[in-house]
Amino acid sequence: MNSIKVALIGCGFFGQQLAYGFQKNGAELVGVQDIHHQQAVDLATSLNTVAYLDVADMLQQTKPDLVLIATYNYAHRQVAEQALQAGCAVFIETPFATEAEDCHQILTLAAQTDKPVFIGHVLRALPGLLKAKQLIEQQALGKITVARANRQRWIDSARDKNWWKNDIKLTGGKLLHEIHELDLLCWLLGEVDSVYAQSTNRAHSDTPDNHDIIQLLLQFKSGVFGSLEMGTAYRLHEWGISIHGELGSLVVNFFTSTLTLSFADGRRQQFNLYDEFEADLSLRENGKSTQKYNQINELCPFWLSRAVEIEALSVLQHLQGQQHSVLHDSPARAVCVAVAAKRSIQEKVLIKVQYD
């Protein structure tokens, strides 16, 4: 396979980043589609491709090898099934879906059509996180004991109260929409056996259903205990993962763009999350500012656009048979945990995670 033909469904902020990232890595962008057709037209004009009104027409006329899906979260299953039935591989921006059953149905169809499914867990593909995965698999920390992930920051209420990311019916809620840290815990440490969760809204009364404090206690099947705390009601910003073992600890700090390995005997190693200074610097600078949600016409910070380029390359190399992509592994695991956590929040009890 030479140039891989790619079509995009969903031309909002992140759909645009995906189009740029895949095109920059040599993919041929053969068409774009969005329910807001003018967005598709604008993107098609800037990237010299064709905007389509209908997904089925685009798939039939362009016959892409890969379909990028960046629609509202709740709609991922429908268009993913259309793409798979048309004989295409699919890349789905996170979350995979808002219901575990949707994930299972997509994966079942993918197996039947023998087409791969990739999920946009962009942080997995960063060199520093790949190093963390390698160190854990090599048992550099010995027996893992406990792990913690957090993404705590303050974000002012969105100016547009009708913005789709404020509608939990479209997003599935923050735990699913901002699933990256939960996914990293699941990817690095394996399946979660059970979860207890709680959440509330303390600082954003204008969007009461969109909880700004979310806390999870996780029991992994391996025996590891873990926790996740996330939200937008924290004035002291933290973003990272710490994993502890009998021989030492591993700390990923996204605000400093570093991976630090500390051993019980005093030895210490540090790695950058990127292989290039400019991207590491961009991520560090991003951590100093008040975070704002990305709007459709805003510039994408360099660290994020570079991360998208890295994940795009990972997918394209997989499709070309050059190298396996970590974005193809355990695609539904984090969604299954998130669904169990949402049930725990509602029922106020420990919930066993269901993967089937």
Side-chain angles (χ1 to χ4, degrees):
M1 184 182 295
N2 295 317
S3 179
I4 292 177
K5 296 196 297 181
V6 173
L8 170 68
I9 304 172
C11 300
F13 175 82
F14 221 87
Q16 293 177 18
Q17 310 317 313
L18 291 173
Y20 300 146
F22 276 85
Q23 194 176 66
K24 188 169 182 178
N25 278 289
E28 179 187 358
L29 186 64
V30 294
V32 298
Q33 189 275 342
D34 194 283
I35 58 173
H36 305 290
H37 185 59
Q38 189 57 48
Q39 287 183 197
V41 171
D42 293 343
L43 184 59
T45 300
S46 67
L47 294 180
N48 193 30
T49 188
V50 180
Y52 288 85
L53 283 167
D54 182 72
V55 170
D57 287 344
M58 179 174 70
L59 296 178
Q60 182 179 15
Q61 293 179 35
T62 64
K63 295 181 170 51
D65 303 300
L66 173 69
V67 174
L68 311 176
I69 297 172
T71 62
Y72 297 145
N73 301 345
Y74 83 95
H76 288 176
R77 176 179 170 180
Q78 179 183 355
V79 287
E81 289 179 339
Q82 278 186 271
L84 289 167
Q85 289 166 348
C88 310
V90 296
F91 173 99
I92 304 174
E93 182 47 44
T94 55
F96 187 167
T98 57
E99 298 292 340
E101 178 61 22
D102 288 351
C103 298
H104 300 326
Q105 291 298 325
I106 292 170
L107 292 174
T108 297
L109 182 58
Q112 293 171 351
T113 57
D114 195 27
K115 294 296 177 182
V117 173
F118 306 92
I119 308 301
H121 294 298
V122 63
L123 299 179
R124 289 189 189 185
L126 298 184
L129 272 299
L130 292 173
K131 182 67 175 180
K133 178 72 168 175
Q134 179 187 48
L135 289 167
I136 291 171
E137 290 179 342
Q138 292 174 345
Q139 299 185 323
L141 303 180
K143 180 181 178 181
I144 304 297
T145 55
V146 64
R148 178 175 183 262
N150 53 21
R151 190 179 184 185
Q152 303 166 199
R153 70 268 200 230
W154 182 274
I155 296 182
D156 292 328
S157 296
R159 294 186 298 269
D160 181 4
K161 305 308 177 188
N162 295 318
W163 189 31
W164 77 273
K165 290 185 180 181
N166 286 328
D167 189 341
I168 63 173
K169 293 179 181 178
L170 302 182
T171 66
K174 282 188 182 294
L175 185 56
L176 281 158
H177 189 67
E178 300 178 7
I179 202 169
H180 292 288
E181 290 70 35
L182 177 58
D183 172 72
L184 285 178
L185 286 176
C186 296
W187 176 59
L188 292 170
L189 300 174
E191 291 188 344
V192 173
D193 181 70
S194 58
V195 57
Y196 179 83
Q198 59 183 8
S199 70
T200 189
N201 188 321
R202 295 284 294 169
H204 300 82
S205 58
D206 53 335
T207 53
D209 294 334
N210 231 343
H211 288 185
D212 54 18
I213 300 172
I214 303 172
Q215 299 171 328
L216 274 63
L217 294 177
L218 307 163
Q219 296 180 18
F220 289 83
K221 290 184 177 181
S222 63
V224 173
F225 272 34
S227 65
L228 168 66
E229 184 157 4
M230 59 183 288
T232 57
Y234 300 80
R235 286 297 185 182
L236 178 62
H237 294 192
E238 296 182 52
W239 184 18
I241 293 176
S242 59
I243 299 174
H244 303 265
E246 292 180 323
L247 301 181
S249 66
L250 181 158
V251 176
V252 176
N253 187 328
F254 291 103
F255 285 150
T256 61
S257 197
T258 56
L259 163 65
T260 303
L261 187 62
S262 303
F263 293 100
D265 61 9
R267 289 180 296 124
R268 188 170 178 271
Q269 294 176 276
Q270 191 168 80
F271 310 88
N272 291 326
L273 296 188
Y274 290 84
D275 287 337
E276 55 209 76
F277 172 76
E278 293 83 0
D280 283 311
L281 179 61
S282 173
L283 184 51
R284 291 166 189 151
E285 290 298 317
N286 184 79
K288 297 177 183 178
S289 60
T290 301
Q291 189 169 355
K292 298 179 181 180
Y293 281 120
N294 292 313
Q295 299 288 353
I296 192 167
N297 293 317
E298 286 188 357
L299 291 175
C300 184
F302 180 70
W303 71 266
L304 182 54
S305 63
R306 187 70 188 102
V308 172
E309 291 169 10
I310 292 170
E311 75 171 348
L313 179 61
S314 173
V315 171
L316 294 173
Q317 288 180 333
H318 184 112
L319 292 174
Q320 292 170 326
Q322 298 175 10
Q323 184 173 310
H324 179 81
S325 173
V326 295
L327 305 180
H328 182 55
D329 298 334
S330 307
R333 187 178 290 173
V335 171
C336 293
V337 178
V339 168
K342 290 175 67 176
R343 182 180 163 198
S344 176
I345 291 168
Q346 294 169 351
E347 300 181 14
K348 302 185 185 305
V349 295
L350 186 74
I351 297 294
K352 197 91 165 173
V353 180
Q354 301 295 323
Y355 291 98
D356 299 321

